[in-house]
Amino acid sequence: LLSYATIAIAFGGALLAYDPPKLAVAIAVALAMVRLSPTDEHHVRTARSFFGVYKVFDTSDGRFRVLQNGTTIHGAQPLRDPDGKPIESHPPKQLTYYAPGFGMEQTITAVRKRKGAPISVAIVGLGTATLTCYREPGDDWTIFEIDTVMIRLSRDSGLFDYLRDCAPQVPIVVGDARQMLARQPDGRFDVILLD
């Protein structure tokens, strides 16, 4: 954990040098370290790949489990209700910017309504697989994910339930989505969800 002494040393060293660029860097580093300090969360798992370090943690109140890479949140799942009781419902409620009423759900609904039939969907990036809970019977969904560590965390670890509960049979194509999508026939997907 970052101590206040470390912050003081970083600021002090830069201030003694009277070098504005060094001072700016010291301030940025100190603020980033304080922001990322895990004082308000319960660490569950950390995994590293070529694409970065993934951190899974439960919020300090125990209500949510979060998947994060750097400062990017790749999804969250509710664990407990506001009274602290474990959530038993499956599938879990979609959270963050994937929640009902937000842009992704609106897009899927609009495309389904316009087509008037089941839709074919490509998802670029698995995250916690929250979006799969918008899948309906007859839909044809495919997920494109470049990082196998993300697949292990979201599907194989038992830490997140979205894919298991909503779309366990949806294929996950491993590789660079730009290349994988280029190999698909024209018009293969009604919508490509890219976040």
Side-chain angles (χ1 to χ4, degrees), residues 22-122:
K22 287 183 183 175
L23 178 59
V25 169
I27 291 171
V29 168
L31 291 174
M33 294 177 92
V34 168
R35 159 67 177 89
L36 298 176
S37 178
T39 56
D40 61 343
E41 60 198 39
H42 171 71
H43 176 262
V44 176
R45 183 167 302 165
T46 301
R48 179 183 299 274
S49 76
F50 173 80
F51 300 98
V53 177
Y54 299 100
K55 182 169 69 168
V56 178
F57 63 91
D58 294 347
T59 57
S60 60
D61 59 6
R63 291 187 57 205
F64 306 100
R65 175 159 295 151
V66 180
L67 174 59
Q68 184 172 348
N69 177 351
T71 59
T72 303
I73 292 178
H74 289 281
Q77 178 176 318
L79 300 175
R80 299 184 177 280
D81 66 21
D83 295 327
K85 296 177 186 168
I87 293 175
E88 304 292 335
S89 64
H90 289 278
K93 180 181 177 185
Q94 298 98 321
L95 298 176
T96 67
Y97 40 90
Y98 302 123
F102 282 75
M104 292 293 197
E105 190 258 350
Q106 290 176 354
T107 300
I108 293 165
T109 300
V111 171
R112 186 174 280 121
K113 183 177 180 181
R114 187 188 77 213
K115 186 173 180 182
I119 58 175
S120 180
V121 177

Side-chain angles (χ1 to χ4, degrees), residues 124-144:
V124 176
L126 176 63
T128 58
T130 308
L131 285 173
T132 62
C133 290
Y134 291 115
R135 183 176 172 271
E136 290 186 359
D139 285 352
D140 176 23
W141 288 48
T142 304
I143 298 169
F144 296 86

Side-chain angles (χ1 to χ4, degrees), residues 54 67 74 126-127 145 147-155:
Y54 299 100
L67 174 59
H74 289 281
L126 176 63
E145 175 57 56
D147 195 347
T148 57
V149 170
M150 182 68 82
I151 297 169
R152 285 198 305 269
L153 287 172
S154 296
R155 183 186 66 191

Side-chain angles (χ1 to χ4, degrees), residues 3 7 12 15 19-20 50 69 77 84 86 101 114 121-122 170-171 173 177 192:
S3 70
I7 296 172
L15 289 171
D19 188 340
F50 173 80
N69 177 351
Q77 178 176 318
R114 187 188 77 213
V121 177
V170 165
V173 177
I192 298 173

Side-chain angles (χ1 to χ4, degrees), residues 182-195:
R183 297 177 187 165
Q184 302 297 314
D186 287 346
R188 158 91 169 77
F189 297 107
D190 298 307
V191 62
I192 298 173
L193 301 175
L194 185 67
D195 124 19

